[in-house]
Amino acid sequence: MRIEHVIDGKHVGSAETFPTVDPWTREPWAEVALGGRAEADAAIAAARRAFDEGPWPQMGYAERGALLHRLADLVEEHAEELALLDTRDMGKPITAMLTKDVPRTALNFRFFADHARLSAAEAFPMDSGHHAYTRYEPAGVVVAIAPWNFPLMLESWKIAPALAWGNTVVLKPAEQSPASATRLAELALEAGFPPGVLNVVHGFGPDAVGEFLTTSPDVDRITFTGESNTGRAISAAAARNLTPVSLELGGKGANLVFADADLDRAVEWSIKAIYTNAGQVCLAGSRLYVERPIYDEFLARFVAAAEAMVVGDPQDPATQIGPLASEEHYEKVTGYLDRLPQDGGKILTGGRGEGWTVRPTVIVDAPLDARVCREEIFGPVVVVHPFEGEDEGIALANDTPYGLNAMLFTENLRRAHRVAAALRAGTVWVNCFFVRDLRAPFGGVGDSGVGREGGDYSKEFFTEPKAVVMEI
Ligand code: NAI
Ligand code: MG
């Protein structure tokens, strides 16, 4: 299979290609056009023309929304095909694709289509006899740079609000997971999107097509999800042109299980929090703190549940954990395990599996300053520690440069609100994990990001709000 760019409504190849590898077979399964400066410039120019010449920004919300709903319909009609593309590219279990990522992709388009149409603009009647009111005008050309952990789903999370508010888009998927983005752009054309509204270019990041997209003065917004250090590089590149950036970066999510928790539910959610998508989740609950009185019992149940998970071929519908997304990433994750004898800490269960899989891994007795406790491993690896009382639990949870999210499990209502308020994080889940209302803010504090997306937060980022003041 060949995967090409989609620029100005047409497939575009490049002189050079690079392979995308199926991490389960560990063989290349498709050849991808390798974009560079020329492709970045062409895609930005196409998006610029589609924005400046219209009709996309001038369309009513209902008309654009209908096209976004049509795209959502096509995503649903092609669910199996799209699911398989991400599964082959990065090893995500097909069942997770079909039950979570693809439905959420369709929902992202539907939600933002409706949100934009129903969204309010403020009016301010002034004492002086004037009225001030707000117009939310599209920002222009949006560059979306995506990671490989939820390819289709995270790409739609960025481009759906951008498009719904009337912007045009250049999407660069991660080099490890290019296939679904090209297919999505084809479906957008089939749905009736004008050429140039959604462009896709493929290739690498530093000193390559990704960086060229972030340094262009013709770009009005950059939205990025990925590693914190990449976020720093993109932020610096964008600063030269004063281009606003939205950055969703890494995490080292704390999960506090109090002695008064419902243990069955706490175990079930804590397992999901770390092992979903083989732990390749910025929101992963990778630091698990359990209150001393229940520590032994909780840990025994947690280990049993971890060992019961099905690891293997991602195309097998029974598989819960597939391979890690790439060889490079497999080496990174297992490197943390290999260094445990020097760094401190012991593996209770897990470790290397078949091929590039890592079995659900539980580490105990690691010093709190060990790398496994501080750094984002981005694999199915949890570090577990006991804690004594609420204050120590909160202090442990907040002792991280990251602040994307945290979880807590308790049946005590007052404690739930008290601890949720004390945790330094963009999202706190109480007695659950990963549940999202798309109207709510999503983003992180500290090294976890800059800005928020979701509902009105996406509106603020992807528009230029204009104040109009009129004498009445
Ligand atoms: P990365 O941040 O380097 O790559 C993400 C995207 O950014 C890709 O599309 C890449 O091509 C692009 N990119 C990289 N450097 C760029 C630059 N200078 N300018 C413009 N675009 C650039 O992440 P990578 O290397 O794939 O993964 C490394 C680690 O990052 C992972 O092990 C994990 O810890 C973390 N990560 C976190 C994610 C999250 O959801 N917060 C997602 C992916 C990775
Ligand atoms: Mg990188």
Side-chain angles (χ1 to χ4, degrees), residues 372-411:
V372 288
C373 299
R374 306 293 306 171
E375 296 174 12
E376 181 176 51
I377 299 175
F378 224 60
V381 179
V382 69
V383 286
V384 193
H385 291 94
F387 71 92
E388 315 262 1
E390 204 173 294
D391 289 345
E392 192 191 28
I394 292 167
L396 285 167
N398 285 342
D399 182 19
T400 173
Y402 292 110
L404 195 56
N405 65 300
M407 281 74 69
L408 70 110
F409 291 86
T410 178
E411 295 295 300

Side-chain angles (χ1 to χ4, degrees), residues 80 104 158 269 283 299 310 317 326 346 376 378 391 397:
E80 303 211 338
R104 173 61 195 281
K158 296 181 174 307
W269 280 114
L283 301 159
L299 196 56
V310 182
S326 64
K346 148 175 142 227
E376 181 176 51
F378 224 60
D391 289 345

Side-chain angles (χ1 to χ4, degrees), residues 346-363:
K346 148 175 142 227
I347 295 180
L348 268 193
T349 185
R352 284 183 163 77
E354 188 185 351
W356 295 339
T357 66
V358 170
R359 288 178 293 123
T361 300
V362 178
I363 295 174

Side-chain angles (χ1 to χ4, degrees), residues 65-282:
L67 289 170
L68 288 162
H69 275 283
R70 177 75 193 120
L71 177 56
D73 293 342
L74 289 173
V75 165
E76 284 164 349
E77 283 165 29
H78 294 82
E80 303 211 338
E81 182 195 353
L82 289 165
L84 192 58
L85 296 177
D86 279 0
T87 293
R88 295 223 67 180
D89 265 349
M90 53 72 67
K92 190 192 299 274
I94 192 83
T95 299
M97 281 305 301
L98 288 169
T99 59
K100 300 267 175 11
D101 293 44
V102 175
R104 173 61 195 281
T105 297
L107 176 65
N108 285 339
F109 288 113
R110 295 193 194 288
F111 169 80
F112 283 108
D114 295 347
H115 181 79
R117 184 171 54 82
L118 299 173
S119 187
E122 309 83 3
F124 306 96
M126 297 166 66
D127 288 348
S128 57
H130 299 76
H131 272 191
Y133 67 93
T134 318
R135 287 175 50 81
Y136 287 95
E137 299 179 351
V141 173
V142 172
V143 161
I145 299 183
W148 44 259
N149 55 340
F150 292 85
L152 183 66
M153 192 282 269
L154 277 178
E155 287 156 13
S156 65
W157 169 246
K158 296 181 174 307
I159 68 183
L163 294 173
W165 286 100
N167 301 284
T168 58
V169 172
V170 179
L171 166 66
K172 195 202 84 66
E175 53 272 28
Q176 297 87 347
S177 55
S180 55
T182 285
R183 194 66 192 106
L184 186 67
E186 292 167 357
L187 293 176
L189 291 169
E190 193 180 325
F193 285 49
V197 167
L198 174 58
N199 306 279
V200 172
V201 289
H202 296 292
F204 296 84
D207 201 22
V209 67
E211 185 178 319
F212 303 147
L213 291 173
T214 63
T215 48
S216 167
D218 289 330
V219 169
D220 301 291
R221 293 289 185 277
I222 299 170
T223 169
F224 167 75
T225 299
E227 194 189 350
S228 295
N229 279 330
T230 312
R232 288 186 178 88
I234 289 176
S235 207
R240 272 175 252 147
N241 298 311
L242 298 177
T243 309
V245 292
S246 172
L247 306 174
E248 290 180 20
L249 308 176
K252 189 75 180 171
N255 180 4
L256 293 173
V257 182
F258 287 93
D260 57 18
D262 175 333
L263 270 200
D264 289 336
R265 294 184 59 77
V267 170
E268 189 187 326
W269 280 114
S270 300
I271 288 278
K272 285 190 181 137
I274 181 60
Y275 299 130
T276 295
N277 206 28
Q280 301 166 122
V281 184
C282 48

Side-chain angles (χ1 to χ4, degrees), residues 416-451:
H417 289 294
R418 201 163 51 224
V419 176
L423 291 170
R424 192 175 151 277
T427 298
V428 174
W429 277 295
V430 181
N431 296 337
C432 63
F433 171 69
F434 225 96
V435 181
R436 291 267 295 116
D437 186 307
L438 304 189
R439 294 168 297 188
F442 182 77
V445 303
D447 286 358
S448 288
V450 175

